[in-house]
Amino acid sequence: DLQAALQALQSDPLVEAAELDAEVSIGEAPNDPGLGNLWGMQIIGAFEAWVAGGGDSSVPAPIVAVTDTGIQYDHPDLVTQTW
């Protein structure tokens, strides 16, 4: 039972968050001029992050977390973006 499994995870003190997966889609393409170079964004499904705020600066920017042991923390694109 999916709901029972979800409730068990949510009540487990070792689990920070658990939720059911949902199918989502975006209504527009990101406006990043370097989008063609970001092949990994398609793979991890991160396009939703671009439109989450809809360009509204009053909406906090989303944080997209990718667990990857191969990250290069000192890469110029990442050095100020990782913590």
Side-chain angles (χ1 to χ4, degrees):
D1 177 20
L2 193 55
Q3 286 298 325
L6 178 62
Q7 289 175 347
L9 288 169
Q10 289 173 331
S11 64
D12 186 330
L14 298 175
V15 176
E16 185 173 329
E19 61 185 34
L20 296 176
D21 193 12
E23 185 175 330
V24 296
S25 62
I26 59 173
E28 59 186 86
N31 62 357
D32 185 334
L35 184 62
N37 298 323
L38 303 175
W39 59 269
M41 297 296 103
Q42 177 75 32
I43 293 170
I44 66 169
F47 289 129
E48 292 85 0
W50 268 280
V51 295
D56 184 348
S57 61
S58 69
V59 176
I63 296 174
V64 177
V66 178
T67 303
D68 184 349
T69 58
I71 191 168
Q72 182 183 345
Y73 293 102
D74 60 350
H75 187 281
D77 289 345
L78 302 176
V79 70
T80 62
Q81 304 298 318
T82 54
W83 63 94

